[in-house]
Amino acid sequence: MKRENMTRFAILGLISKQPMSGFDIKKAVDQGIGYFWNESYGQLYPILKTLAAEGLVEMAIEQTSGKPDRHVYSITSTGLQELRSWLMRPVEAQRVRNTLLLRLFFGDNVPTTVSIQQIEGVCNFSRGLLAQFEQLEPIFKQRPAFEYITLMFGMTYHKTIVEWGEQAIQLLQQQPSTKSNKKQRSGRKS
Amino acid sequence: MKRENMTRFAILGLISKQPMSGFDIKKAVDQGIGYFWNESYGQLYPILKTLAAEGLVEMAIEQTSGKPDRHVYSITSTGLQELRSWLMRPVEAQRVRNTLLLRLFFGDNVPTTVSIQQIEGVCNFSRGLLAQFEQLEPIFKQRPAFEYITLMFGMTYHKTIVEWGEQAIQLLQQQPSTKSNKKQRSGRKS
DNA sequence: TTATCTTATATCTAACTGATATATATCACT
DNA sequence: AGTGATATATATCAGTTAGATATAAGATAA
């Protein structure tokens, strides 16, 4: 099972909606689907070229005044086929790396208050996102269900984080003090 | 903001619990914290050497019969300091890449049934994990709260996915037929 | 006037994944 | 006894990805 280049499909999908330049794509990712996807220029520009060489996208140069020319890419029928074929392939296993959970798992090396603050920080971040999502919801509700359900996911996900966080903090506070609970008197190399 | 090598801290954290070889660490990750973390040999072995060179871990060779010698690493006091300092640093922004949501977002390029099946697939995966977690729960409940709350997270998270998935499928089924709903009559290059 | 932000393409390094190489031991099945 | 699959164990390679930086000009703000 070769590791697949996902940027290809993100690009194909986005320009299937409308022709875009690399810069546009970056913006569309950050501002449109940033809550479940990310892309970097370091991937976008080289892969746009590859896709063009493979005939999956077509490039047209748009002159600008002063600024670098815009390379506007649009999807070809081969590209659309490639996109459809990926859309139908089973979802690939996603590798997770949650740095909050990793920290919590090693939490007995620091005072409990540290772990609690870390949870609070992440919960507050989620609360902020939730507020944004709630504002976006009426707009998304009028869009195709395909897009609305992705926002739904974001909302449910971050709601869950907040609820879990509150529970987790309670549990940690009830916890009997651990070895490094008060002041973390070091030198526990026995 | 330099991109940080997280493998370092995963290693330090794990061997802070007990000395381990690279192979042991890989097992501990896969079998112990695989629901929120992953590591590959391609990172582990080189970084263990780096950490040893930096004096954050110590290596002892354990002879075996036939099989390659075990390189067993344990954490030093400098290493423990480094781990603690990381545990106290604010949680870094996590980059998400959800290939299910990406597919759904582009779902109008394929029949709705495809999107529904994709959601079902992921939900079933989560259901399987949930069943495993429920078996693990009594064991984790007796462990330090630090570890238990990470399992709690996994359970809440996958429960949420299943609930969201069921809602999302309902919404897609109610949906008026889209351009490529029935048989996907191609050639929409207009 | 200076600073920073936005537009726009491009590239580099470090981080990371998945696959593969090497070599032995063990267990199940035929 | 022989075959194949799996487990132990270290190691490295090629491809993927993120984040930073380079370049350059116009727009906006301090």
Side-chain angles (χ1 to χ4, degrees):
Chain A
M1 216 219 300
K2 273 270 155 63
R3 190 172 170 204
E4 280 215 87
N5 181 331
M6 287 298 147
T7 303
R8 292 167 59 90
F9 304 113
I11 291 174
L12 289 175
L14 285 171
I15 67 172
S16 83
K17 304 205 183 221
Q18 57 178 303
M20 280 192 263
S21 70
F23 194 79
D24 294 336
I25 293 173
K26 176 67 171 151
K27 261 201 303 185
V29 169
D30 289 350
Q31 293 166 22
I33 57 176
Y35 56 98
F36 69 80
W37 201 258
N38 65 70
E39 285 299 342
S40 61
Y41 288 124
Q43 287 279 98
L44 285 177
Y45 285 112
I47 290 177
L48 277 167
K49 278 183 190 168
T50 315
L51 289 174
E54 291 176 63
L56 303 182
V57 304
E58 264 169 358
M59 199 260 277
I61 292 181
E62 249 179 45
Q63 242 106 39
T64 58
S65 53
K67 281 161 267 175
D69 289 348
R70 286 169 53 79
H71 299 186
V72 179
Y73 294 86
S74 49
I75 198 162
T76 64
S77 55
T78 332
L80 202 55
Q81 252 176 267
E82 173 79 354
L83 173 64
R84 289 213 186 97
S85 131
W86 176 72
L87 287 174
M88 292 191 276
R89 281 213 285 286
V91 172
E92 37 286 297
Q94 62 189 357
R95 37 188 176 282
V96 277
R97 268 194 154 186
N98 188 318
T99 54
L100 171 64
L101 294 190
L102 191 67
R103 279 190 175 81
L104 295 179
F105 199 80
F106 304 139
D108 56 346
N109 290 294
V110 281
T112 311
T113 47
V114 171
S115 298
I116 291 175
Q117 271 167 34
Q118 297 286 24
I119 299 175
E120 260 163 9
V122 169
C123 282
N124 283 334
F125 183 77
S126 284
R127 284 192 191 100
L129 277 181
L130 264 175
Q132 278 179 256
F133 291 162
E134 270 154 28
Q135 284 197 305
L136 286 172
E137 210 195 355
I139 302 161
F140 266 76
K141 231 170 187 162
Q142 283 161 295
R143 297 229 235 149
F146 299 113
E147 300 190 8
Y148 179 56
I149 57 179
T150 64
L151 186 75
M152 262 176 59
F153 184 94
M155 295 183 75
T156 341
Y157 174 62
H158 288 284
K159 225 174 280 175
T160 304
I161 288 185
V162 172
E163 281 165 27
W164 162 81
E166 283 163 1
Q167 272 183 63
I169 288 173
Q170 275 204 341
L171 241 152
L172 288 181
Q173 280 169 339
Q174 287 165 20
Q175 199 58 9
S177 68
T178 57
K179 59 185 164 194
S180 43
N181 219 348
K182 286 253 145 91
K183 251 284 157 67
Q184 184 196 143
R185 22 232 235 58
S186 58
R188 47 181 271 278
K189 247 201 130 184
S190 140
Chain B
M1 217 217 300
K2 271 270 155 62
R3 191 174 171 203
E4 279 216 86
N5 181 334
M6 287 298 148
T7 302
R8 292 166 59 90
F9 304 113
I11 291 174
L12 289 175
L14 285 171
I15 66 172
S16 83
K17 303 204 183 222
Q18 57 177 304
M20 281 192 260
S21 71
F23 195 78
D24 294 336
I25 293 173
K26 176 67 171 151
K27 261 201 301 185
V29 170
D30 289 350
Q31 293 166 22
I33 58 176
Y35 57 97
F36 69 79
W37 201 257
N38 66 71
E39 284 299 341
S40 59
Y41 289 124
Q43 286 280 96
L44 285 178
Y45 285 113
I47 290 177
L48 277 168
K49 278 184 190 167
T50 314
L51 288 175
E54 290 176 63
L56 302 182
V57 303
E58 263 170 359
M59 199 260 277
I61 291 180
E62 248 180 45
Q63 242 106 38
T64 57
S65 53
K67 282 162 268 174
D69 289 349
R70 287 169 53 80
H71 300 188
V72 179
Y73 295 86
S74 49
I75 198 163
T76 64
S77 56
T78 331
L80 201 56
Q81 251 177 267
E82 173 79 355
L83 173 63
R84 288 213 187 99
S85 132
W86 177 72
L87 288 174
M88 293 192 277
R89 280 214 285 285
V91 172
E92 37 285 296
Q94 62 188 359
R95 37 187 174 281
V96 276
R97 268 196 153 186
N98 187 317
T99 55
L100 170 64
L101 294 191
L102 191 66
R103 278 188 174 82
L104 295 179
F105 199 79
F106 304 138
D108 56 345
N109 290 294
V110 282
T112 311
T113 48
V114 171
S115 298
I116 292 175
Q117 271 168 34
Q118 296 286 24
I119 299 175
E120 261 162 8
V122 170
C123 282
N124 283 334
F125 182 77
S126 284
R127 285 193 190 97
L129 277 181
L130 263 175
Q132 278 179 255
F133 290 161
E134 270 154 27
Q135 284 197 304
L136 286 172
E137 210 195 356
I139 303 161
F140 266 77
K141 234 171 186 161
Q142 281 161 296
R143 298 229 235 148
F146 299 113
E147 300 190 7
Y148 178 57
I149 56 178
T150 65
L151 186 74
M152 261 175 59
F153 185 93
M155 296 182 74
T156 340
Y157 175 62
H158 288 284
K159 223 175 280 174
T160 304
I161 288 185
V162 172
E163 280 165 30
W164 162 82
E166 283 163 1
Q167 273 183 63
I169 288 172
Q170 275 204 342
L171 241 152
L172 288 181
Q173 279 169 341
Q174 288 165 20
Q175 199 59 10
S177 67
T178 58
K179 59 186 163 195
S180 42
N181 220 348
K182 286 253 144 92
K183 251 283 157 66
Q184 183 195 141
R185 25 233 234 56
S186 59
R188 47 182 272 278
K189 246 200 124 182
S190 149

